[in-house]
Amino acid sequence: MKISLPPPQRLMASDNASGVHPDILAAINRANNFHALGYGHDEQTPQAKKLFSQLFDADVVTEFVFGGTGANVLALACMLKPAQAVVCTATAHIAVDEAGAPERFLGAKLIDIPTRDGKLRPSDIESVVHLRGNIHHAEPAVVSITQATELGTVYTPDEVRQICDFAHEHGLLVHMDGARITNAAVALGATPKVLRSFTIDAGVDVLSFGGVKAGLMFGEAVVFFNTSLATRVEYIRKQVAQLNSKMRFVSAQYVEFLQNDLLFRLATNANSMALALYEQTRHHKSLGLTTPPVVNSLFPTIHEPAASTLREWTFFWDWDLPNNQYRWMTAWDTTLEDIATFAEGVAQALEI
Amino acid sequence: MKISLPPPQRLMASDNASGVHPDILAAINRANNFHALGYGHDEQTPQAKKLFSQLFDADVVTEFVFGGTGANVLALACMLKPAQAVVCTATAHIAVDEAGAPERFLGAKLIDIPTRDGKLRPSDIESVVHLRGNIHHAEPAVVSITQATELGTVYTPDEVRQICDFAHEHGLLVHMDGARITNAAVALGATPKVLRSFTIDAGVDVLSFGGVKAGLMFGEAVVFFNTSLATRVEYIRKQVAQLNSKMRFVSAQYVEFLQNDLLFRLATNANSMALALYEQTRHHKSLGLTTPPVVNSLFPTIHEPAASTLREWTFFWDWDLPNNQYRWMTAWDTTLEDIATFAEGVAQALEI
Amino acid sequence: MKISLPPPQRLMASDNASGVHPDILAAINRANNFHALGYGHDEQTPQAKKLFSQLFDADVVTEFVFGGTGANVLALACMLKPAQAVVCTATAHIAVDEAGAPERFLGAKLIDIPTRDGKLRPSDIESVVHLRGNIHHAEPAVVSITQATELGTVYTPDEVRQICDFAHEHGLLVHMDGARITNAAVALGATPKVLRSFTIDAGVDVLSFGGVKAGLMFGEAVVFFNTSLATRVEYIRKQVAQLNSKMRFVSAQYVEFLQNDLLFRLATNANSMALALYEQTRHHKSLGLTTPPVVNSLFPTIHEPAASTLREWTFFWDWDLPNNQYRWMTAWDTTLEDIATFAEGVAQALEI
Amino acid sequence: MKISLPPPQRLMASDNASGVHPDILAAINRANNFHALGYGHDEQTPQAKKLFSQLFDADVVTEFVFGGTGANVLALACMLKPAQAVVCTATAHIAVDEAGAPERFLGAKLIDIPTRDGKLRPSDIESVVHLRGNIHHAEPAVVSITQATELGTVYTPDEVRQICDFAHEHGLLVHMDGARITNAAVALGATPKVLRSFTIDAGVDVLSFGGVKAGLMFGEAVVFFNTSLATRVEYIRKQVAQLNSKMRFVSAQYVEFLQNDLLFRLATNANSMALALYEQTRHHKSLGLTTPPVVNSLFPTIHEPAASTLREWTFFWDWDLPNNQYRWMTAWDTTLEDIATFAEGVAQALEI
């Protein structure tokens, strides 16, 4: 049996399946104006950097890269010395989903710690602090946390501050992988002040700032709050193959993204649509959707044959197959019509 | 004193200072159509790959990356075994202009050989072949040549074939850095057949195929003629931080670029404009422009104060400062008006 | 208060605190005979290699290195392709005690799995096999097990075979870190046949064969049962800084060690002394020594002030400080007199 | 035809073909005295470190490693930041004879500069200084010179000082590869004061101090004159697989070597024997031995069939085969009888 209506035009597969926001695309088109010197010696790059300093209300150092793995590896390369290690969760993107890029480029160990919710805690860091100062061990030197996490949870500003305080007390630095940072910011209040409360104000040293999942075409940013770590960032960016020659086409996107609250507006839609999907499907008890999503993902349980029926209709990712768990994810461009269509498909699949 | 007319709208600084061809930009805009699965599971990526196979008239394996350094590092990573080395010229981009990315990511030695014209010869390879088979030496295993070279010269098909034959006879593979491959193709005849004659037909194993300098916004391709080397390319691409999540925006550019001879038309303009610039400036004997450009760059000698006057008017790169040598480079979008303006500026600067 | 007798002449600190067996030392002295070509082109190295082939009753490839970390890194470097990962226990020496050497030299991820007894099981491998074939993940490609384990346990031949079978079925190779392999061999039967039963006969591909803890001065061996993996071992050994110029002084030790069952005799003493220590201290119930040691280590619980008293008297390592657990380890040269002295010291410390 | 007398008992192949000086061997035997804690927590290691500080008349930081490649890689790893490069000669051991270990472990580029005599000059460094400060280039940050050089030449103290001054003025550090440093010291005067004059006093930052070629069994030292660079040396030593568990057997050698001028006496013999060989063979004009050796090597030209006849009789290395050039090298243990025998063999071979 098959679902009797056309699938939604926008997938629940991933926010990186989304396209580019029209205003961002317009900015790209505008940037295509005669010649501009490469590598950031253009008009838009200084503008974009200035907007990041305004956003974080501080003289931060911002550099743009091509993608998220590049952002994380560049950030960590600036933070690590030889024979050091990164502490992260066992579900961290750097630990699981970057094909070993950190190990290969950094030559560093990742110490990954199991968590129940994708959130690291000071006690987790404490459990490995004894490895410092012993020449037989790679020295834990950087804590990397993901905000929002890979499991759709969000650290509160206090939680981040506690991690940063504990880390700094013990000589470790803190990196935040913010591939979905705007979703987290919206979950916590959707203002620059809120964004600052769990990043620069909480003590984070370096932030990978994600734009692509949020509505950009390509290009992420690495923001150094601890600017002493940025000494060699431009050299390392080139070395990690993340220096964009026609930089203006990335910077122009950020100039648009960081103005008029566009970054918050887009994430607000993504988060809201996940909530709408939750509201429209939670009555199917078998899905196990007992708590509303914090950001833009749901992790339903779907048994067969419903799962196959639904996935043949419209693709989404499995999450924990042995437990029949899947992931639905909304994006900046998901519409209520998409949600209604998808919810109807879910209903049909479960009835089959 | 200053030059009395406005500088050209398009710089002679570099082809990567150019923008994006309107047809390419239109393709990008068209690709922004609802959702598409990430990482190449879209509509455009298989199309683009098929067009590469058509271009080279063979079942090649093509993978897209973000930038040129990423392309070269990915290609070489697929070709090298541990404790091996790459043989290249001392002016090769991989040796000089990638900030040590090959050494860091590949963990491999580059053996760089001085040349007078940026072109490697079988005798150069012969000079290091004795390093093979000795466990104290990093083993020369890949020859990397650049086409067109960093010095604006071009290998003939025969020259490439001789390199490939010599390399293969001695157990080495051949990589071609084709950051400006379309300029080379145009210099040699501007047809797919000609392009094949100095790549796949000549015995090249893996090609870094450049699009950005030729009129694209971002995204280069790695083309495996020797497909047995591509076994792990997709894993390594992720590991070298070159996997683009919204891949369709790169692939769509290549779909456009590889159709209707656009790749040849754009490089034809770049090369022609360099020739026009040569014709309009060669009469200034002090510039030392004694032979017409093969591709899209000229390397004039400019003495002071003319050099400073000219560079204050419009930026271009110095090349060999101790010898007062500079580089002028044209692009796919340079116009005859730009050339005329620039030539007039040169004339004024030299008269001062 | 202090313990009233002199500490034992041989420590319970570690088997690497031991010296060199007199026969081994004599072999070293004999090898100092005029000149011999370096890097293994001497008399002793082919002899030692031949003895390894005799020991394993097969044409194995054996190469000598300086130390244990070098052995493991060299073995794994020969087994891994780019973007692959090693599966091991969370207590594995490669994961914990090599300061990140594997990550830095191999550029590879270690996937470390918690175990209760230091022994990996097929089900552990099964839990990560799904990571294969997904370009976002470093591909599990080598299983590394330690025999005897870091926790003093030993895999049976059947257990090793099950791991090898499961690994090979799923396309993974198996490395054995045999830093204390002779202790394991003695625990299982103390014959070449037994040694083969849990190595080459069980399907292990590459073995790090430890000699230093067993009575040598320096120098470990890497033994390739799967000789197809040894193609580049000599180049990589040099690259990993493990090529000994005056090789004869390592090889001569192995020539002695592998003859007349010396390797088994020395480990027999180490294991027996641990058993003796167990017998002489198990009656102190607070130590929690409820099961006899399998190889040459005991993991007693010692509360304060006894622990400090005992450690001031003679050094041994803490193991799990929050749980007051320590490690006592015997060596090839430990005597019954040492054991009696140490046991008496323990008794005094516990009475204080 | 063959040479009619037995070959010398000590080869002219390499100083690493020599054995171990009896006093060194005796020190090793003495060190085999019951147990000692591993990794340098023994009696001999602090003694040896203290002797290094006395030798250099300063509080230097000294750490021991297994071999020469390990020493160089460890030293450089302590001196380099990411995206930096090492400047050395094209004949440098690190560039040619370490199988790419520097590139793989350091992830750094070596910029190797052709020289006529194996000696780098300030003008060579000057030729690459312009690469600093440009994010496209790996930044030259360390100058590595070899003393005595791979070509048997020696830097004067003034020459080293000029290199160090120039390097430091431009922000580069200086590493000295002293695999044959005692031969150089003897060539320049054979006292600690002379040794200091071209190392610490000349401004060298870090020294790889060689013992193995000079009469030790195994184990080299890395000496930090610029102790601020030693912050992470112990961690990195472990990570580069150079931490010796039974350290006392290396340290004991250095305790002996650094006392009673043994280091100078042994190198004096090696150098003298090379001079004796020169005196006894220079009358064969075809050998082209026109200048006496500075240290312990000669580079004669030998035509066929003499070369083959001589090499079948006793092995020595070829150096520049296309030019029929070979290398003869003496050692700490070469005797006048060996020289006389070898010279007679040379005479016979040339007469054939």
Side-chain angles (χ1 to χ4, degrees):
Chain A
M1 248 204 73
K2 295 211 169 182
I3 294 167
S4 69
L5 74 170
Q9 286 189 295
R10 293 164 203 84
L11 308 176
M12 303 298 144
S14 176
D15 38 16
N16 68 28
S18 69
V20 183
H21 187 272
D23 292 353
I24 303 285
L25 193 58
I28 288 176
N29 280 278
R30 282 197 307 277
N32 193 33
N33 181 31
F34 298 118
H35 275 211
L37 284 178
Y39 310 115
H41 300 284
D42 50 41
E43 199 181 304
Q44 296 84 355
T45 304
Q47 280 179 36
K49 290 184 177 197
K50 194 174 168 190
L51 286 167
F52 267 107
S53 285
Q54 288 175 3
L55 179 65
F56 289 109
D57 196 23
D59 280 335
V60 302
V61 172
T62 303
E63 299 295 348
F64 300 103
V65 295
F66 283 120
T69 295
N72 288 337
V73 169
L74 174 59
L76 294 171
C78 291
M79 303 175 82
L80 286 165
K81 298 201 187 80
Q84 292 190 329
V86 178
V87 185
C88 60
T89 71
T91 46
H93 198 267
I94 58 169
V96 184
D97 286 309
E98 300 188 349
E103 284 86 353
R104 181 152 182 181
F105 191 78
L106 304 171
K109 175 176 282 301
L110 302 194
I111 301 174
D112 48 285
I113 297 181
T115 65
R116 66 173 193 279
D117 57 1
K119 290 166 71 175
L120 206 70
R121 286 164 177 80
S123 58
D124 296 319
I125 308 171
E126 191 172 22
S127 72
V128 298
V129 156
H130 72 279
L131 294 171
R132 287 176 63 88
N134 180 325
I135 61 166
H136 298 277
H137 306 321
E139 185 180 58
V142 176
V143 174
S144 180
I145 58 177
T146 310
Q147 174 80 317
T149 76
E150 293 80 3
L151 301 186
T153 53
V154 167
Y155 292 91
T156 66
D158 264 1
E159 288 172 336
V160 177
R161 188 177 303 110
Q162 283 161 23
I163 285 172
C164 293
D165 286 351
F166 188 91
H168 292 156
E169 274 167 33
H170 291 83
L172 292 89
L173 298 167
V174 178
H175 166 250
M176 179 177 278
D177 177 356
R180 291 192 180 95
I181 195 166
T182 56
N183 300 97
V186 163
L188 294 165
T191 66
K193 191 175 171 187
V194 161
L195 174 61
R196 294 194 290 264
S197 73
F198 65 82
T199 55
I200 187 169
D201 293 349
V204 169
D205 292 287
V206 187
L207 168 67
S208 299
F209 187 101
V212 175
K213 295 175 198 292
L216 272 58
M217 183 183 292
F218 72 110
E220 310 271 291
V222 180
V223 185
F224 291 81
F225 304 128
N226 181 342
T227 56
S228 71
L229 297 169
T231 317
R232 294 193 63 70
V233 62
E234 290 190 79
Y235 295 87
I236 304 174
R237 175 178 57 183
K238 174 75 185 185
Q239 198 181 38
V240 72
Q242 296 294 313
L243 178 58
N244 185 353
S245 59
K246 296 187 176 175
M247 184 83 84
R248 53 175 153 160
F249 295 106
V250 165
S251 305
Q253 297 180 65
Y254 277 98
V255 169
E256 191 70 26
F257 189 51
L258 297 192
Q259 290 188 90
N260 305 315
D261 280 344
L262 182 59
L263 77 170
F264 297 121
R265 286 186 281 131
L266 296 187
T268 297
N269 184 76
N271 289 11
S272 305
M273 289 304 108
L275 189 60
L277 180 55
Y278 168 76
E279 295 296 350
Q280 295 184 31
T281 56
R282 59 186 290 207
H283 60 282
H284 304 298
K285 297 301 177 195
S286 69
L287 297 175
L289 296 173
T290 54
T291 50
V294 182
V295 283
N296 62 325
S297 52
L298 293 170
F299 297 87
T301 302
I302 319 178
H303 295 281
E304 289 298 345
S308 295
T309 301
L310 201 55
R311 292 231 287 184
E312 277 164 34
W313 181 61
T314 183
F315 181 81
F316 50 88
W317 291 96
D318 49 73
W319 192 253
D320 179 5
L321 266 194
N323 292 310
N324 301 297
Q325 197 174 25
Y326 296 84
R327 191 190 72 177
W328 296 338
M329 182 168 266
T330 54
W332 65 269
D333 58 353
T334 311
T335 64
L336 274 175
E337 191 187 339
D338 295 322
I339 296 299
T341 303
F342 189 79
E344 168 62 16
V346 171
Q348 288 193 19
L350 291 174
E351 282 163 20
I352 291 165
Chain B
M1 249 203 74
K2 294 213 170 180
I3 293 167
S4 68
L5 73 171
Q9 285 188 296
R10 293 165 203 85
L11 308 176
M12 304 299 143
S14 176
D15 39 16
N16 69 27
S18 69
V20 184
H21 187 271
D23 292 353
I24 302 286
L25 192 59
I28 289 176
N29 280 278
R30 282 196 308 277
N32 193 34
N33 182 31
F34 299 119
H35 274 209
L37 284 177
Y39 310 116
H41 300 284
D42 50 42
E43 200 180 301
Q44 296 85 354
T45 304
Q47 280 179 36
K49 290 183 176 196
K50 196 174 165 190
L51 286 167
F52 267 108
S53 285
Q54 288 174 2
L55 179 64
F56 289 108
D57 196 23
D59 281 333
V60 303
V61 172
T62 304
E63 299 294 348
F64 300 103
V65 295
F66 283 120
T69 295
N72 288 337
V73 169
L74 174 57
L76 294 171
C78 292
M79 303 174 84
L80 287 165
K81 298 201 188 79
Q84 292 189 330
V86 178
V87 184
C88 60
T89 70
T91 45
H93 199 267
I94 56 170
V96 183
D97 286 309
E98 299 187 350
E103 285 86 353
R104 181 152 182 181
F105 190 79
L106 304 171
K109 175 177 282 300
L110 301 195
I111 300 174
D112 49 285
I113 297 181
T115 66
R116 65 174 196 279
D117 57 1
K119 291 166 70 173
L120 207 69
R121 286 163 178 81
S123 59
D124 296 319
I125 309 170
E126 191 172 22
S127 73
V128 298
V129 156
H130 72 279
L131 295 170
R132 286 177 63 86
N134 180 326
I135 63 168
H136 298 276
H137 307 320
E139 185 180 60
V142 175
V143 173
S144 180
I145 58 177
T146 310
Q147 173 81 319
T149 75
E150 293 80 3
L151 301 186
T153 53
V154 167
Y155 292 90
T156 65
D158 263 1
E159 288 172 335
V160 177
R161 188 177 304 111
Q162 283 161 22
I163 286 172
C164 292
D165 286 350
F166 188 89
H168 292 156
E169 272 166 36
H170 291 82
L172 293 90
L173 299 167
V174 178
H175 166 251
M176 179 177 277
D177 177 355
R180 291 192 180 94
I181 194 166
T182 56
N183 300 97
V186 163
L188 293 165
T191 66
K193 191 175 172 189
V194 161
L195 173 60
R196 293 194 289 265
S197 72
F198 65 82
T199 56
I200 187 169
D201 293 349
V204 169
D205 292 286
V206 187
L207 168 67
S208 299
F209 187 101
V212 174
K213 295 176 197 293
L216 271 58
M217 182 184 291
F218 71 110
E220 309 271 291
V222 180
V223 184
F224 291 81
F225 304 128
N226 182 342
T227 56
S228 71
L229 298 169
T231 318
R232 296 194 62 72
V233 61
E234 290 190 79
Y235 295 88
I236 303 174
R237 176 178 57 183
K238 175 76 186 187
Q239 198 181 36
V240 72
Q242 296 294 313
L243 179 57
N244 185 353
S245 59
K246 296 187 176 177
M247 184 82 84
R248 54 175 151 160
F249 295 106
V250 165
S251 306
Q253 296 180 65
Y254 277 97
V255 171
E256 191 70 26
F257 189 52
L258 298 192
Q259 291 189 90
N260 304 316
D261 280 344
L262 183 58
L263 75 170
F264 297 121
R265 285 186 282 132
L266 295 186
T268 296
N269 184 75
N271 289 11
S272 304
M273 289 303 110
L275 189 59
L277 180 54
Y278 168 77
E279 295 295 349
Q280 295 183 30
T281 56
R282 60 186 289 209
H283 60 282
H284 304 298
K285 296 301 175 196
S286 70
L287 297 175
L289 296 173
T290 53
T291 51
V294 182
V295 284
N296 62 326
S297 51
L298 293 169
F299 297 87
T301 301
I302 320 180
H303 295 281
E304 290 298 346
S308 294
T309 301
L310 200 55
R311 292 232 288 184
E312 277 163 33
W313 180 61
T314 183
F315 181 82
F316 50 88
W317 290 97
D318 48 73
W319 193 253
D320 179 5
L321 266 195
N323 292 309
N324 300 298
Q325 197 174 26
Y326 295 83
R327 190 189 72 176
W328 296 338
M329 183 168 267
T330 54
W332 66 268
D333 57 354
T334 309
T335 64
L336 274 175
E337 190 187 340
D338 296 321
I339 296 299
T341 303
F342 189 80
E344 168 63 18
V346 170
Q348 289 192 18
L350 291 174
E351 282 163 21
I352 290 164
Chain C
M1 250 204 74
K2 295 214 169 179
I3 293 167
S4 69
L5 74 170
Q9 286 189 295
R10 293 163 203 85
L11 307 175
M12 303 298 143
S14 175
D15 38 16
N16 70 27
S18 70
V20 184
H21 187 270
D23 291 354
I24 302 285
L25 193 57
I28 288 176
N29 280 278
R30 282 196 308 275
N32 193 34
N33 182 31
F34 299 118
H35 275 210
L37 284 178
Y39 310 115
H41 300 284
D42 51 41
E43 200 181 303
Q44 294 86 355
T45 303
Q47 280 179 36
K49 291 184 176 195
K50 195 175 166 188
L51 287 167
F52 267 108
S53 285
Q54 288 174 3
L55 179 65
F56 289 108
D57 197 24
D59 281 335
V60 303
V61 171
T62 304
E63 298 294 348
F64 300 102
V65 295
F66 283 119
T69 295
N72 288 336
V73 170
L74 175 58
L76 294 171
C78 292
M79 303 174 82
L80 286 165
K81 299 200 188 81
Q84 293 190 329
V86 178
V87 185
C88 60
T89 70
T91 46
H93 198 267
I94 56 169
V96 184
D97 287 309
E98 300 188 348
E103 284 87 353
R104 180 150 183 182
F105 191 78
L106 304 171
K109 174 176 283 299
L110 302 194
I111 301 173
D112 48 284
I113 298 180
T115 66
R116 65 175 196 278
D117 57 1
K119 291 165 70 174
L120 206 70
R121 285 163 179 81
S123 58
D124 296 319
I125 308 170
E126 191 172 21
S127 72
V128 297
V129 157
H130 72 279
L131 295 171
R132 286 176 62 87
N134 179 326
I135 62 166
H136 299 276
H137 307 321
E139 184 181 59
V142 175
V143 174
S144 179
I145 58 176
T146 311
Q147 174 80 319
T149 75
E150 293 79 2
L151 301 187
T153 54
V154 167
Y155 292 90
T156 65
D158 265 1
E159 288 171 336
V160 177
R161 188 176 305 111
Q162 284 161 22
I163 286 173
C164 293
D165 286 351
F166 188 90
H168 292 156
E169 273 166 35
H170 291 82
L172 293 89
L173 299 167
V174 178
H175 167 250
M176 179 176 278
D177 177 355
R180 290 191 181 94
I181 194 167
T182 57
N183 300 97
V186 164
L188 293 166
T191 66
K193 192 176 170 187
V194 162
L195 174 61
R196 294 193 289 263
S197 73
F198 66 83
T199 55
I200 187 170
D201 293 349
V204 169
D205 293 287
V206 187
L207 168 67
S208 298
F209 187 101
V212 174
K213 295 174 197 292
L216 271 58
M217 182 183 292
F218 72 110
E220 311 270 291
V222 179
V223 185
F224 291 81
F225 304 128
N226 181 342
T227 56
S228 71
L229 298 169
T231 317
R232 294 193 64 71
V233 62
E234 290 190 80
Y235 296 87
I236 303 174
R237 175 177 58 183
K238 174 76 186 187
Q239 198 182 37
V240 72
Q242 296 293 312
L243 178 58
N244 184 353
S245 59
K246 295 186 176 176
M247 184 83 85
R248 54 176 152 160
F249 295 107
V250 164
S251 306
Q253 296 180 66
Y254 277 97
V255 170
E256 192 70 26
F257 189 52
L258 297 193
Q259 291 188 91
N260 305 314
D261 280 343
L262 184 58
L263 76 170
F264 298 120
R265 286 186 282 132
L266 296 186
T268 297
N269 184 76
N271 289 11
S272 304
M273 290 303 109
L275 189 59
L277 180 55
Y278 169 76
E279 294 297 348
Q280 295 184 32
T281 56
R282 60 185 289 206
H283 60 281
H284 304 297
K285 296 302 177 196
S286 69
L287 297 175
L289 297 172
T290 54
T291 52
V294 182
V295 282
N296 62 326
S297 52
L298 293 170
F299 297 87
T301 302
I302 319 178
H303 295 280
E304 289 298 345
S308 294
T309 301
L310 201 54
R311 292 231 290 183
E312 278 164 31
W313 180 61
T314 184
F315 182 81
F316 50 89
W317 290 97
D318 48 73
W319 193 253
D320 178 5
L321 267 195
N323 293 310
N324 301 296
Q325 197 175 27
Y326 295 84
R327 190 189 73 177
W328 296 339
M329 182 167 268
T330 54
W332 65 269
D333 58 354
T334 311
T335 64
L336 274 175
E337 192 187 337
D338 296 322
I339 296 299
T341 303
F342 189 79
E344 169 61 19
V346 170
Q348 288 193 20
L350 291 174
E351 281 163 19
I352 290 165
Chain D
M1 249 204 77
K2 295 212 169 184
I3 293 166
S4 68
L5 73 170
Q9 285 189 296
R10 294 162 203 87
L11 307 176
M12 304 299 143
S14 174
D15 39 16
N16 70 26
S18 71
V20 184
H21 186 270
D23 292 354
I24 302 286
L25 192 58
I28 289 176
N29 280 278
R30 282 197 308 276
N32 193 34
N33 181 33
F34 298 119
H35 275 209
L37 285 177
Y39 310 115
H41 301 283
D42 50 41
E43 200 180 303
Q44 295 85 355
T45 304
Q47 280 179 38
K49 290 184 175 195
K50 194 173 168 191
L51 286 167
F52 267 108
S53 285
Q54 288 175 2
L55 179 64
F56 289 108
D57 196 23
D59 281 335
V60 303
V61 172
T62 303
E63 299 294 348
F64 300 103
V65 295
F66 282 119
T69 295
N72 288 336
V73 169
L74 174 57
L76 294 171
C78 292
M79 303 175 83
L80 286 166
K81 298 200 188 81
Q84 292 189 330
V86 178
V87 184
C88 60
T89 70
T91 46
H93 199 268
I94 56 170
V96 183
D97 286 309
E98 299 187 349
E103 284 86 354
R104 181 153 183 179
F105 190 79
L106 304 171
K109 175 177 282 300
L110 302 194
I111 301 174
D112 49 284
I113 297 181
T115 67
R116 65 175 193 278
D117 58 1
K119 291 166 70 175
L120 206 70
R121 285 163 179 81
S123 58
D124 296 320
I125 308 170
E126 192 172 21
S127 72
V128 298
V129 157
H130 72 280
L131 295 170
R132 287 177 62 88
N134 180 324
I135 63 167
H136 298 276
H137 307 320
E139 184 180 59
V142 175
V143 173
S144 180
I145 58 177
T146 311
Q147 174 80 320
T149 76
E150 293 80 4
L151 300 186
T153 54
V154 168
Y155 291 91
T156 65
D158 264 1
E159 287 172 336
V160 177
R161 187 177 305 110
Q162 284 161 22
I163 286 173
C164 292
D165 287 351
F166 188 90
H168 292 156
E169 273 166 35
H170 291 82
L172 293 89
L173 299 167
V174 178
H175 166 251
M176 180 177 277
D177 176 355
R180 290 192 181 94
I181 194 167
T182 56
N183 301 97
V186 163
L188 293 165
T191 66
K193 190 174 171 188
V194 162
L195 173 60
R196 294 194 289 264
S197 72
F198 66 82
T199 56
I200 187 170
D201 293 350
V204 169
D205 292 286
V206 187
L207 169 67
S208 298
F209 187 102
V212 174
K213 294 175 197 293
L216 270 58
M217 183 183 292
F218 72 109
E220 310 270 293
V222 180
V223 184
F224 291 81
F225 305 128
N226 181 341
T227 56
S228 71
L229 298 169
T231 317
R232 295 195 62 72
V233 62
E234 290 190 80
Y235 295 88
I236 303 174
R237 176 178 57 183
K238 175 76 186 186
Q239 198 182 37
V240 71
Q242 295 294 312
L243 178 58
N244 185 354
S245 60
K246 295 186 176 177
M247 185 82 84
R248 53 176 151 161
F249 296 106
V250 165
S251 305
Q253 297 180 64
Y254 277 97
V255 170
E256 193 69 26
F257 189 52
L258 298 193
Q259 291 188 91
N260 304 315
D261 280 345
L262 184 57
L263 75 170
F264 298 121
R265 285 186 283 130
L266 295 186
T268 297
N269 184 76
N271 289 10
S272 304
M273 289 303 109
L275 189 60
L277 181 53
Y278 169 77
E279 295 295 349
Q280 295 183 31
T281 56
R282 60 186 289 208
H283 60 282
H284 304 298
K285 297 302 175 194
S286 69
L287 297 175
L289 297 172
T290 54
T291 52
V294 181
V295 283
N296 63 326
S297 51
L298 293 169
F299 297 86
T301 301
I302 319 179
H303 295 280
E304 289 297 347
S308 296
T309 300
L310 201 55
R311 293 231 288 183
E312 277 163 34
W313 180 60
T314 184
F315 182 82
F316 51 88
W317 291 96
D318 49 72
W319 193 254
D320 179 5
L321 266 195
N323 293 309
N324 300 295
Q325 197 175 27
Y326 295 83
R327 190 189 72 176
W328 296 338
M329 182 169 269
T330 55
W332 66 268
D333 58 354
T334 310
T335 64
L336 274 174
E337 192 188 338
D338 295 321
I339 296 298
T341 303
F342 188 81
E344 169 63 17
V346 170
Q348 288 194 19
L350 291 174
E351 282 163 19
I352 291 165

